[in-house]
Amino acid sequence: QVQLVESGGGLVQPGGSLKLSCAASGGILSIHAMGWYRQAPGKQRELVAIFSTGGNTNYADSVKGRFTISRDNGKNTVYLQMNSLKPEDTAVYYCKADRVATIIHRYPEVWGQGTLVTVSS
């Protein structure tokens, strides 16, 4: 069974930085896209950044210029470097993998369990 495990969340002061990691495991042959979403209290889950096969990236307007998504295909891992963090970045950050192929099954999407990022002084 495919699993995504996130790490790197925590408490940081405004203006600070954090780097999130998400590692996929479970006999994976290929993953089309990996991305990060977030959900703040009382709000809907939203796309933060996505990294597709071929190197295409897409960011939410609210994080452009501050966040950078990267991917290590050999390790089936995606990262999110977050700089100049703001209180409004506080949320649970979720990793998602799209079109995951294993030897025995194809998964349209797989979600991680989430990691909490709190930006506060």
Side-chain angles (χ1 to χ4, degrees):
Q1 185 171 352
V2 174
Q3 288 187 321
L4 301 182
V5 178
E6 300 114 329
S7 60
L11 174 65
V12 63
Q13 292 187 340
S17 299
L18 279 177
K19 186 174 184 177
L20 305 182
S21 299
C22 171
S25 62
I28 295 170
L29 297 176
S30 65
I31 302 174
H32 172 64
M34 297 187 76
W36 291 94
Y37 293 73
R38 68 186 180 187
Q39 187 166 18
K43 294 188 177 181
Q44 289 189 332
R45 193 173 297 188
E46 62 176 1
L47 171 69
V48 176
I50 190 166
F51 194 117
S52 300
T53 300
N56 295 319
T57 58
N58 190 34
Y59 294 90
D61 288 342
S62 59
V63 307
K64 283 180 181 177
R66 299 188 298 121
F67 291 10
T68 302
I69 189 169
S70 59
R71 181 174 170 180
D72 185 333
N73 290 325
K75 296 181 179 179
N76 290 321
T77 299
V78 66
Y79 306 94
L80 186 68
Q81 177 66 47
M82 303 185 294
N83 299 329
S84 302
L85 282 160
K86 305 174 181 180
E88 51 264 43
D89 294 317
T90 295
V92 177
Y93 284 71
Y94 296 90
C95 176
K96 184 164 82 85
D98 292 324
R99 291 165 53 186
V100 182
T102 68
I103 294 175
I104 61 173
H105 194 70
R106 292 180 181 267
Y107 300 81
E109 63 180 31
V110 180
W111 287 90
Q113 81 287 353
T115 185
L116 178 63
V117 172
T118 303
V119 185
S120 175
S121 55

